[in-house]
Amino acid sequence: GAGVSQTPSNKVTEKGKYVELRCDPISGHTALYWYRQSLGQGPEFLIYFQGTGAADDSGLPNDRFFAVRPEGSVSTLKIQRTERGDSAVYLCASRLAGGNEQFFGPGTRLTVL
Amino acid sequence: LAKTTQPISMDSYEGQEVNITCSHNNIATNDYITWYQQFPSQGPRFIIQGYKTKVTNEVASLFIPADRKSSTLSLPRVSLSDTAVYYCLVGDRNNNNDMRFGAGTRLTVKP
């Protein structure tokens, strides 16, 4: 079956611009996670959804970052007024209720010039 | 959330068995130990999970001593394609959001 997909695969933007990153989880997976990964580091937790609601957004670095999952499936990570320090790979993962593992997408590489 | 400590990097040669040890001194009673593998330009991929003693699947084995303060991921007869970063995570698997990634161990398999 189809895995987790993320679009775009690459995004280049200018400092100060707004970006949206999309995640399509595996069908039926109720849990969805966003991570950010910088070069040479492990994935850094950003936010976790259970269904439509953000159950834990403690990893969002500041109020420029926001994520939604309005119908409990597709999620969008939104970054306002991008800064060069936001450059990273943004990973999305989904998990089946009661499952042991998170299934990751290939990530979106964001570059802020 | 229990924290983990792993070696930053390891080198091996094709055909050898590789053992990566993870320390988790503060592991809680309900915590499980989970390992993920990540290749360049890909998201992490689940390898194995265990609670105690030994777990084996088609990819790896996981050894967990009785005190559960450490665990060892064992990769039999590695090949060049096993070059990747390996992450050890601990957390309550009944809590969907109880595990965090550290920096991982970068394994390099040489010919």
Side-chain angles (χ1 to χ4, degrees), chain B residues 68-82:
Chain B
R68 306 202 323 123
K69 294 183 183 299
S70 67
S71 58
T72 299
L73 176 73
S74 181
L75 305 173
R77 299 179 298 282
V78 293
S79 63
L80 297 177
S81 63
D82 292 314

Side-chain angles (χ1 to χ4, degrees), chain A residues 71-83:
Chain A
E71 298 178 357
S73 179
V74 171
S75 177
T76 304
L77 178 66
K78 308 180 180 190
I79 310 174
Q80 299 178 322
R81 305 183 303 281
T82 52
E83 300 178 356

